Amino acid sequence: MKTIETRALAAWLDDTLQASRFRDYCPNGLQVEGKNKIKHIITGVTASEALLRAAIARGADAVLVHHGWFWKNEDARVRGPKRTRLALTLAHELNLFAYHLPLDAHPTLGNNAQLARVLGLEPARRDDGTPLTCGHDNLVWLGGAPGVQTLGQLAEQVQARLGRAPLLVGEPDQPVGRVAWCTGGAQGMMADAVDAGATVYITGEVSEPTTHLARETGTGFIGAGHHATERYGVQALGNAVAEAFGVRVEFVDIDNPV
């Protein structure tokens, strides 16, 4: 089985995802350094205790996630669940790699690109072929839903593809025109999508003001689940690592209803 040096993998990931471009809510890249060589990687959405224990049980050398640690404004003290997670990681010399906004935004491997693939959405493209986007850091993608006529039909397609019933705000029979989407907790970017001409907005989570904005602008809203919409970018990234370096990469899906 092939191996790769930890710092070489970190450099490749940083470069591939252009991590330095983003002003994020957490550090991106190698968050906890473990063994200096890696031959087995576990990927997942969040660096939870359950995912860490799964990695340890499988004899992995590294964990690669979308949601890592050390978030802005969080309590810096190492106690409770934070202590348990960190202790497990250090005791087993796990490398923890995490990429938040860089993994959302990547034009092919990212969460938005991969959600479009899974849901059958067609991104609009600029003249240079890059996706048409809007919002903070151009994280919201714009496009359409080929073959889907109504908001209700789109919600049914989302449910079938993601395996969970989404929250729907809007009339099921209203037509689908321009669709905007951004995975995870991007409900706060809905106004940007509306300003860009979207008639439907798909994201993971919902907040109380979201319903009013959807109703008052006539924009259909689909809340498809934070975890459910962000399972695919890290899988695509893991597959790219496996193809580039020949190391073993395994995705572990820790169920989360949110």
Side-chain angles (χ1 to χ4, degrees):
M1 184 178 296
K2 293 185 177 180
T3 63
I4 182 173
E5 291 187 359
T6 297
R7 292 192 176 276
L9 178 57
W12 185 89
L13 289 167
D14 287 348
D15 182 63
T16 298
L17 297 176
Q18 297 185 323
S20 62
R21 285 202 307 113
F22 296 86
R23 296 180 61 186
D24 212 334
Y25 314 104
C26 60
N28 289 296
L30 180 60
Q31 291 190 335
V32 178
E33 187 174 1
K35 299 172 184 175
N36 59 16
K37 291 188 177 181
I38 295 169
K39 62 182 179 180
H40 184 189
I41 302 169
I42 294 296
T43 64
V45 176
T46 299
S48 63
E49 180 183 340
L51 185 68
L52 296 173
R53 291 194 182 279
I56 293 165
R58 288 164 170 78
D61 309 300
V63 174
L64 171 60
V65 297
H66 179 48
H67 300 137
W69 300 342
F70 315 117
W71 296 90
K72 183 179 179 181
N73 296 327
E74 76 173 14
D75 188 341
R77 292 173 292 181
V78 180
R79 62 183 191 176
K82 181 186 290 188
R83 178 192 181 280
T84 300
R85 293 178 183 181
L86 186 57
L88 284 170
T89 304
L90 293 174
H92 294 273
E93 294 188 279
L94 289 174
N95 292 283
L96 174 61
F97 297 91
Y99 292 90
H100 186 231
L101 295 184
L103 186 56
D104 287 323
H106 194 275
T108 57
L109 302 175
N111 283 321
N112 285 326
Q114 292 298 313
L115 185 65
R117 176 187 62 81
V118 172
L119 295 185
L121 304 175
E122 185 174 294
R125 302 281 178 183
R126 298 185 177 91
D127 291 341
D128 63 0
T130 58
L132 185 62
T133 57
C134 67
H136 173 69
D137 274 331
N138 290 305
L139 290 172
V140 178
W141 284 38
L142 300 164
V148 178
Q149 302 299 318
T150 68
L151 180 62
Q153 290 173 352
L154 182 56
E156 290 174 359
Q157 184 162 303
V158 169
Q159 179 172 351
R161 302 288 177 89
L162 298 187
R164 75 187 299 279
L167 172 69
L168 178 64
V169 180
E171 296 299 325
D173 60 352
Q174 70 186 71
V176 172
R178 169 169 278 190
V179 180
W181 64 95
C182 187
T183 65
Q187 63 271 41
M189 298 186 197
M190 183 175 177
D192 296 311
V194 173
D195 288 344
T199 57
V200 176
Y201 185 57
I202 302 172
T203 188
E205 294 189 26
V206 64
S207 296
E208 194 275 341
T210 311
T211 297
H212 303 298
L213 179 61
R215 289 173 177 169
E216 291 167 14
T217 61
T219 307
F221 175 83
I222 296 177
H226 195 136
H227 178 85
T229 59
E230 295 196 326
R231 290 177 295 195
Y232 306 103
V234 73
Q235 292 183 64
L237 181 61
N239 290 339
V241 170
E243 183 176 350
F245 300 106
V247 296
R248 181 182 176 191
V249 181
E250 182 181 1
F251 175 71
V252 175
D253 191 13
I254 304 298
D255 182 61
N256 188 333
V258 173

